[in-house]
Amino acid sequence: MSGMRTIVISTAAVAVLGLGYGMWSIVSPGEEMRKEKLKNLPESNPVRMEETRHRNAMMMQVLKDAAETNDNLARGFGPGK
């Protein structure tokens, strides 16, 4: 009886794993869909990428300037002023 239980449990485990793999295969996008998504990413557009680099450089400059001063820059902004 114990051997039969092991066989049934093993068969059920393999069936569940097979079902999970089958569902994953159905849900996951195909290679063409994956390439299309990569093509539409913002990083693939050179103009957009250059804008992002420029914006990041400006933010780094602002942070660098703020780190070099002793003034509280946050005090000058906001609705209380």
Side-chain angles (χ1 to χ4, degrees):
M1 196 65 168
S2 167
M4 184 63 119
R5 183 186 311 166
T6 304
I7 292 172
V8 169
I9 290 174
S10 299
T11 304
V14 169
V16 168
L17 288 174
L19 180 66
Y21 179 75
M23 290 176 66
W24 180 259
S25 298
I26 292 171
V27 173
S28 66
E31 188 67 27
E32 296 167 2
M33 180 72 98
R34 201 170 303 146
K35 286 181 180 178
E36 186 69 27
K37 284 182 181 181
L38 286 175
K39 200 183 317 179
N40 291 331
L41 285 176
E43 292 84 11
S44 64
N45 185 349
V47 175
R48 177 101 184 247
M49 194 62 181
E50 187 58 36
E51 290 173 355
T52 302
R53 282 192 190 109
H54 181 67
R55 187 172 50 247
N56 287 345
M58 288 180 5
M59 281 301 291
M60 290 305 289
Q61 185 62 39
V62 167
L63 290 172
K64 183 179 176 185
D65 293 344
E68 291 173 352
T69 184
N70 288 333
D71 298 336
N72 186 352
L73 299 177
R75 197 172 290 198
F77 301 108
K81 182 127 180 154

